[in-house]
Amino acid sequence: MDKHAHLKKVIVDFKKLTPEVLKITVARYPDGYDDRDIISFRNAHGERVEAVEVLTHDTKYLVKISEKLEYTMENYDESDYEDFDDDDPEAVVEPDPKDMVDGDDDE
């Protein structure tokens, strides 16, 4: 039996990522996540979804994996979110795609 079965379950896409969930995701995976951490499942539309699990005292979050999430975790700075409420989904902004490109173009 799942010892976390009593927890509320929430699937979080990057667009709905809050400072609180981002913070606990970074704390849970400080060096990033790897294949062993990824949970795969099918959503209501039959699409395959990959996510990582993070827990709070009352909720199990499945945070959908994306390049935006990886980049935001790698560049996480708690002070970026000081002026926002922990549950504000507007606080975590999408990174600029130009910033997400590996910058080995030293020409």
Side-chain angles (χ1 to χ4, degrees):
M1 179 169 203
D2 182 2
K3 65 181 178 180
H4 303 294
H6 66 286
L7 298 176
K8 179 171 74 169
K9 294 166 185 68
V10 178
I11 299 171
V12 181
D13 186 80
F14 189 87
K15 291 178 276 195
K16 295 182 180 173
L17 190 63
T18 64
E20 175 191 29
V21 174
L22 177 58
K23 181 179 180 177
I24 61 175
T25 304
V26 170
R28 172 84 164 88
Y29 305 101
D31 299 319
Y33 48 82
D34 60 30
D35 290 343
R36 293 182 309 244
D37 302 313
I38 297 172
I39 298 167
S40 295
F41 60 94
R42 299 234 175 244
N43 66 13
H45 304 291
E47 302 163 330
R48 184 170 177 260
V49 176
E50 293 185 333
V52 291
E53 179 183 275
V54 292
L55 304 172
T56 63
H57 69 284
D58 64 348
T59 306
K60 178 195 294 188
Y61 293 99
L62 293 177
V63 182
K64 289 183 182 180
I65 293 173
S66 68
E67 289 180 8
K68 295 172 192 173
L69 175 65
E70 290 177 24
Y71 180 84
T72 302
M73 287 177 66
E74 288 172 5
N75 295 283
Y76 178 74
D77 183 345
E78 191 170 355
S79 66
D80 291 344
Y81 305 100
E82 288 176 344
D83 297 333
F84 296 94
D85 292 332
D86 282 348
D87 60 352
D88 185 350
E90 303 288 316
V92 181
V93 296
E94 289 193 28
D96 185 328
K98 291 180 270 183
D99 293 335
M100 294 173 52
V101 176
D102 288 335
D104 291 335
D105 299 331
D106 297 335
E107 294 179 36

